[in-house]
Amino acid sequence: MSNGLNGKVALVTGGTGGIGSAICIKLAQAGCKVVSTYMDEAQANDWKAKMAAAGFDMAIVKCDVSNFDDCKAMGDKLNADFGGVDVLVNNAGITKDGTFRKMGPDQWNAVLDVNLVSVFNVTKQVIDGMLNKGWGRVINISSINGQKGQFGQTNYAAAKAGMHGFSMSLAQETAKKGITVNSISPGYIGTEMVMAIPEDVRNQIVAQIPVGRLGKPEEIAALVTFLASEDGAFITGANIAANGGQHMC
Ligand code: CAA
């Protein structure tokens, strides 16, 4: 039975990172031609080589997703090289944690730009192509902390909650045209971003997760691939939590 993803072009922003790499691999295994954005050329070439050694032919494209002109240039290149994008995973994200009283405009703007403004910048480049084809998937990687808030993350939680507002609205605008738009809200996943939390704070967080462990990147990637597939066609405007029971709503 086909999952409908064979030959589809998937763009994963920040695909060379922890959750991103797992998403790229699962989509490639499902038959997609996968393209990841990158910022650091040496790191991206290294990633591409590691993927090739594991049997995956990933494409990479340099793009600062917080910059609209950069995204426009990337969109033009993807149209020329691959005939557009069928599956977009807005996954690129950063943290700059700090209590609100200590947070400066740079810390606020950087997180809003990379995590939320990027969703406008990148989706804008691919949506017309999806509308023309009458098929598309936009999957936004939000966060548990966009649903419940988090001490030290006014910037990140605002951006992540904003991503889901975007998903619901675009889902309504495109549902009749064969496009689904959804958010996934991962909990704490065992990636570099989470391992950067001070150990004592991280241990307190893990203690609040009913399943008793951090999540795995592959568990988020499986959900992305399901939403991208034909089996996910009736799900749109949803925000699907994968957080080990840490937050239930
Ligand atoms: N709840 C209540 N109070 C807290 C608290 C919490 N969770 N964490 C710290 N505090 C209190 C401290 O006890 C201390 O109180 P006193 O002043 O009375 O002693 C005070 O807040 C410390 O305030 P500071 O401004 O000095 O904060 P700090 O410099 O010690 O660090 C922080 C604050 C950077 C936010 C740190 O707590 C931290 O790193 N927290 C983790 C934030 C987090 O979960 N980030 C997630 C990153 S991963 C991710 O985002 C992926 C995803 O999607 C899930």
Side-chain angles (χ1 to χ4, degrees):
M1 194 175 69
S2 163
N3 59 18
L5 289 176
N6 236 346
K8 293 277 197 284
V9 177
L11 173 65
V12 182
T13 67
T16 64
I19 294 178
S21 293
I23 293 172
C24 289
I25 289 171
K26 278 262 195 296
L27 288 173
Q29 286 171 334
C32 290
K33 173 69 208 169
V34 178
V35 187
S36 169
T37 67
Y38 70 88
M39 291 282 280
D40 178 332
E41 184 127 23
Q43 190 255 336
N45 283 329
D46 188 42
W47 179 84
K48 188 173 158 56
K50 279 195 188 121
M51 288 288 163
F56 301 106
D57 178 22
M58 305 292 188
I60 52 175
V61 58
K62 190 168 169 69
C63 182
D64 174 356
V65 294
S66 69
N67 180 302
F68 186 84
D69 293 339
D70 235 31
C71 293
K72 172 85 175 68
M74 172 178 68
D76 291 345
K77 183 170 166 48
L78 294 177
N79 283 337
D81 292 355
F82 301 105
V85 170
D86 304 298
V87 177
L88 167 62
V89 186
N90 283 309
N91 165 74
I94 58 168
T95 53
K96 289 192 182 289
D97 294 351
T99 54
F100 183 69
R101 290 186 69 195
K102 290 184 182 168
M103 188 178 292
D106 289 353
Q107 228 173 324
W108 172 265
N109 289 328
V111 169
L112 268 289
D113 285 349
V114 174
N115 296 22
L116 182 61
V117 176
S118 65
V119 175
F120 172 84
N121 292 345
V122 180
T123 309
K124 195 79 182 152
Q125 313 310 325
V126 305
I127 202 74
D128 285 347
M130 290 179 179
L131 288 166
N132 289 338
K133 287 182 192 168
W135 197 94
R137 298 283 188 265
V138 179
I139 300 162
N140 294 320
I141 306 301
S142 180
S143 166
I144 183 175
N145 294 342
Q147 298 180 296
K148 71 168 187 59
Q150 171 62 34
F151 190 102
Q153 285 201 311
T154 49
N155 51 2
Y156 186 84
K160 292 298 187 180
M163 286 175 97
H164 185 51
F166 173 97
S167 298
M168 292 187 288
S169 303
L170 187 62
Q172 292 177 30
E173 292 181 24
T174 57
K176 284 213 171 79
K177 308 285 183 184
I179 298 170
T180 67
V181 188
N182 291 289
S183 306
I184 292 175
S185 288
Y188 285 75
I189 309 299
T191 61
E192 271 178 33
M193 184 186 272
V194 167
M195 298 322 275
I197 301 171
E199 195 178 357
D200 55 329
V201 177
R202 196 173 65 242
N203 289 340
Q204 285 166 26
I205 291 169
V206 174
Q208 294 161 11
I209 304 176
V211 304
R213 63 168 174 86
L214 295 173
K216 299 175 192 159
E218 294 74 21
E219 291 169 330
I220 305 307
L223 203 44
V224 169
T225 307
F226 176 75
L227 287 175
S229 76
E230 262 333 301
D231 291 337
F234 200 55
I235 302 174
T236 195
N239 186 6
I240 301 180
N243 62 36
Q246 190 184 351
H247 179 68
M248 303 182 186
C249 59

